[in-house]
C-alpha cells in the first residue's frame, strides 16, 4: 500500500496517476486461514482490519458473494449517531462513534466523517416527553444529546417549517452534535485497503455455499463456489442473508429480512446543513457532499430479498418531507432502492458467539447498522480473537431470546414503535 | 407495490389495502404453561425467513377485514397463490 499524502498525490499527479498500486489485490483463496469473515461489507471488512491491526491475527480472508461494499454498505443513508435509550445500546453505539473519530487518519483514507449534528424532531407531546427522557439517559451514559426549542431547531436547520399550524408541528428536537454522516463507500474501501495492506485476502464473487463442521461440532471451514477453504474460526457478517448462512451451520436465528427503502434527489447547491430525523412520520434526510438529498424511509411491510424500490412507501415518506420542508416541494428525485436488512424481535443486534464452536456472528442490525460499522467490526474481531465477547457486546448475545433479557430498543431508526 | 388476490372478496387489490401478518401456520401452544424456555423462544421468535417460497398471513384491513394466507416467492415477490385461513398449507 502506498500511503496517501500531499507529497505522494503530487508526485503521482506528475506521472498522470499511472503508478498507483492496487488497493486490494484480487487474490485466489488459499487452502486455509486462521480466520474467515463471511461478508465484505463495512462490518466484515472492519472486523478483518481490526483482527489484523489490533488482535494479531493476520492470516484472514474476507469472502463475499457479490462485490465489496455492494450490499447495505452501499445502500444506507450514512447517518451516524449514538443517542440510544438503553445503557447497553448507548455503550455499543458510542463505542462506534468514538472509533469514527480519527478513522480517516487510522486508515489513511478519507471516510468523510462529518459531525454536522443529528436532529430528531418532536411533533407531539409524547415525542417531547420521550426525547427528553432519551436526552437524560444519554447524558448519564456520557453520550451528548441536548434539547432544542422549535426556534432553536430552525436556527440549526433553516429549511424547517416550524409554523404552529403546520401539518407536522415542530415542538422541539433532540440534537446530538457528534452525530452526522460519512461517505459509505469510502468506509468499505478504506477498511479493504488497510486490511489488504496487513495481509488480509479479500475474495469477491465467491458465495459461501456451506459451513463444514467436524464430529465435535466445531467449524472446520467453508464450502464456497471456488472450493473448500479451511478455518478454525468463522465470523459471519452477512446482513440480510445472515439467517441463510447460519442455517448452513444448522442454526436457526431469530431474524427476518425486510427491504428498507431509501432514495436520493438530484444534486443541488448546499442547502441542508445537518441530519434531520422525524421518527413519527418515518422520514430522515441529509445532504451528501455531492449535493444530493439523501432520504431514508421505512421498510416494506413484508419479508423479502428483492432489493427493490417501493413507490408507495417513498410517496408517503416524501409527502411528510414536503410538509416539514416546504422548500423541497419542487425537488426532483433521482433514484429509489431497497436494501435487505435483518431485523431481530427486539430491534437490537446479535453480536457474539454462537452455539457452534468457532462460529461467531454479527447480525440483526436491522435498519441502523451503518453507524455502528467501526464498533461492530472491532467487537466481532475481539470476540473472534478471544473466543469470548467484550463487555460491550456481551449483552447482545443469542441467549437473550431464550432467557428473556431482551434489549428492547425503542430508539432504533426508521422502525415504528 | 404488490397486487394481492383476496380469497374472500375474490378480487385483485393493491397492497396498500392489506396489512402483512408475518409467517403463517404457526400454531399457538395448546398448553402454554407446559412450555420450557426453548419452546417459547421457538414459538415467539424463530422464523424460517426463507429465500424462496414463503407462507405468510395477510389481512385485508381496508376491505373485508379478514385474515388469509399467501404463498409468495421472497426473491421475485410473485404471489403464487392465496387461500382462506384454516385451509391446509399449500
Amino acid at each position: 500500500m502506498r500511503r496517501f499524502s500531499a507529497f505522494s498525490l503530487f508526485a503521482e499527479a506528475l506521472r498522470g496517476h499511472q503508478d498507483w498500486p492496487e488497493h486490494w489485490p484480487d487474490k485466489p483463496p488459499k487452502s486455509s486461514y486462521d480466520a474467515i469473515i463471511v461478508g465484505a461489507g463495512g462490518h466484515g471488512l472492519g472486523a478483518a482490519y481490526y483482527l489484523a491491526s489490533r488482535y494479531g491475527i493476520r492470516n484472514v480472508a474476507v469472502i463475499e458473494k457479490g462485490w465489496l461494499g455492494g450490499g447495505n454498505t452501499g445502500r444506507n443513508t450514512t447517518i451516524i449517531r449514538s443517542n440510544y435509550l438503553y445503557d447497553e445500546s448507548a455503550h455499543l453505539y458510542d463505542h462506534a462513534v468514538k472509533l469514527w473519530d480519527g478513522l480517516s487518519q487510522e486508515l489513511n483514507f478519507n471516510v468523510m466523517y462529518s459531525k454536522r449534528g443529528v436532529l430528531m424532531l418532536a411533533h407531539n407531546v409524547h415525542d417531547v416527553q420521550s426525547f427528553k427522557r432519551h436526552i437524560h439517559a444519554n447524558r448519564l451514559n456520557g453520550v451528548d444529546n441536548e434539547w432544542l426549542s422549535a426556534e432553536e431547531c430552525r436556527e440549526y436547520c433553516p429549511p424547517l417549517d416550524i409554523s404552529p399550524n403546520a401539518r407536522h408541528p415542530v415542538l422541539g428536537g433532540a440534537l446530538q452534535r457528534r452525530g452526522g454522516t460519512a461517505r459509505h463507500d469510502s468506509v468499505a474501501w478504506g477498511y479493504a485497503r488497510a486490511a489488504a495492506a496487513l495481509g488480509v485476502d479479500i475474495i469477491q464473487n465467491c458465495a459461501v455455499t456451506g459451513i463444514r463442521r467436524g464430529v465435535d461440532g466445531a467449524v472446520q471451514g467453508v464450502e464456497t463456489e471456488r472450493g473448500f477453504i479451511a478455518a478454525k474460526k468463522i465470523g459471519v457478517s452477512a446482513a440480510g442473508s445472515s439467517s441463510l448462512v447460519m442455517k448452513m451451520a444448522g442454526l436457526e436465528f431469530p431474524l427476518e429480512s425486510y427491504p428498507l427503502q431509501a432514495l436520493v434527489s438530484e444534486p443541488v447547491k448546499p442547502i441542508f446543513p445537518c441530519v434531520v430525523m422525524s421518527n413519527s412520520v418515518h422520514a430522515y434526510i441529509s445532504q451528501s457532499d455531492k449535493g444530493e438529498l439523501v432520504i431514508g424511509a421505512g421498510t416494506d411491510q413484508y419479508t423479502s430479498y428483492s432489493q427493490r424500490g417501493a413507490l408507495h412507501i417513498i410517496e408517503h415518506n416524501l409527502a411528510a418531507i414536503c410538509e416539514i420542508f416546504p422548500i423541497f416541494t419542487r425537488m426532483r428525485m433521482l433514484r429509489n432502492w431497497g436494501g435487505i436488512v435483518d431485523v431481530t424481535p427486539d430491534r437490537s443486534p446479535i453480536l457474539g458467539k454462537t452455539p457452534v464452536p468457532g462460529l461467531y456472528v454479527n447480525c440483526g442490525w436491522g435498519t441502523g447498522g451503518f453507524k455502528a460499522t467501526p464498533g461492530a467490526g472491532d467487537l466481532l474481531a475481539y470476540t473472534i480473537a478471544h473466543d469470548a465477547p467484550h463487555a460491550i457486546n456481551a449483552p447482545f448475545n443469542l441467549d437473550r431470546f431464550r432467557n428473556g433479557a431482551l434489549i428492547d430498543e425503542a430508539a432504533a431508526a426508521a422502525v415504528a414503535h | 407495490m404488490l397486487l394481492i388476490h383476496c380469497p374472500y372478496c375474490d378480487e385483485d387489490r393493491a397492497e396498500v389495502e392489506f396489512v402483512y401478518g408475518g409467517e403463517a401456520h404457526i400454531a399457538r401452544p395448546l398448553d402454554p404453561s407446559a412450555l420450557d424456555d426453548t419452546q417459547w423462544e421457538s414459538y415467539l421468535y424463530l422464523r424460517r425467513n426463507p429465500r424462496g417460497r414463503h407462507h405468510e398471513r395477510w389481512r385485508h384491513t381496508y376491505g373485508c377485514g379478514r385474515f388469509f394466507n399467501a404463498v409468495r416467492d421472497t426473491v421475485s415477490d410473485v404471489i403464487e397463490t392465496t387461500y382462506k385461513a384454516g385451509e391446509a398449507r399449500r
Side-chain angles (χ1 to χ4, degrees), chain A residues 131-285:
Chain A
F131 287 3
K132 286 188 172 170
R133 182 183 171 209
H134 274 70
I135 288 170
H136 295 312
N138 288 160
R139 292 169 88 158
L140 286 173
N141 276 319
V143 176
D144 73 302
N145 202 353
E146 62 192 90
W147 179 255
L148 299 190
S149 67
E151 289 73 24
E152 288 168 329
C153 286
R154 191 176 53 186
E155 207 168 296
Y156 197 76
C157 182
L160 196 59
D161 177 12
I162 59 164
S163 59
N165 44 7
R167 169 70 184 83
H168 304 293
V170 175
L171 304 186
L175 173 66
Q176 186 180 24
R177 291 184 191 269
R178 282 192 309 152
T181 59
R183 171 87 203 279
H184 52 354
D185 292 329
S186 291
V187 178
W189 297 338
Y191 274 125
R193 175 171 172 269
L198 294 171
V200 171
D201 285 357
I202 297 164
I203 299 153
Q204 303 179 63
N205 297 309
C206 179
V208 167
T209 54
I211 292 177
R212 192 184 289 181
R213 295 171 64 182
V215 282
D216 57 348
V219 297
Q220 294 182 324
V222 292
E223 310 279 357
T224 75
E225 288 173 337
R226 287 158 78 172
F228 176 73
I229 307 173
K232 292 253 186 317
K233 293 183 169 199
I234 299 172
V236 176
S237 194
S241 299
S242 294
S243 67
L244 303 172
V245 178
M246 299 322 281
K247 243 170 230 160
M248 294 174 190
L251 295 176
E252 277 191 288
F253 258 60
L255 294 172
E256 289 193 289
S257 300
Y258 292 88
L260 177 63
Q261 299 291 327
L263 65 156
V264 293
S265 73
E266 59 187 353
V268 291
K269 293 255 170 90
I271 177 72
F272 204 78
C274 57
V275 180
V276 174
M277 307 182 59
S278 175
N279 282 5
S280 56
V281 296
H282 256 214
Y284 39 105
I285 179 168

Side-chain angles (χ1 to χ4, degrees), chain B:
Chain B
M1 178 160 356
L2 304 178
L3 202 56
I4 300 173
H5 183 82
C6 173
Y8 294 100
C9 302
D10 198 22
E11 282 199 60
D12 292 335
R13 307 295 292 178
E15 179 196 327
V16 287
E17 286 190 15
F18 298 85
V19 173
Y20 180 69
E23 187 178 325
H25 301 295
I26 295 174
R28 200 180 177 83
L30 291 174
D31 184 6
S33 57
L35 261 55
D36 63 19
D37 288 352
T38 306
Q39 288 166 314
W40 271 120
E41 179 192 23
S42 176
Y43 168 66
L44 289 174
Y45 299 132
L46 299 185
R47 298 293 178 261
R48 290 177 53 245
N49 198 30
R51 193 179 163 87
R53 284 182 100 233
H54 188 229
H55 292 75
E56 59 199 22
R57 299 191 310 160
W58 285 86
R59 182 173 179 235
H60 196 182
T61 310
Y62 301 103
C64 62
R66 302 183 76 169
F67 276 97
F68 60 92
N69 294 327
V71 183
R72 182 176 53 89
D73 186 302
T74 59
V75 180
S76 65
D77 287 340
V78 171
I79 295 175
E80 184 183 306
T81 182
T82 58
Y83 52 97
K84 292 176 182 173
E87 289 180 13
R89 186 190 188 93
R90 297 202 184 162

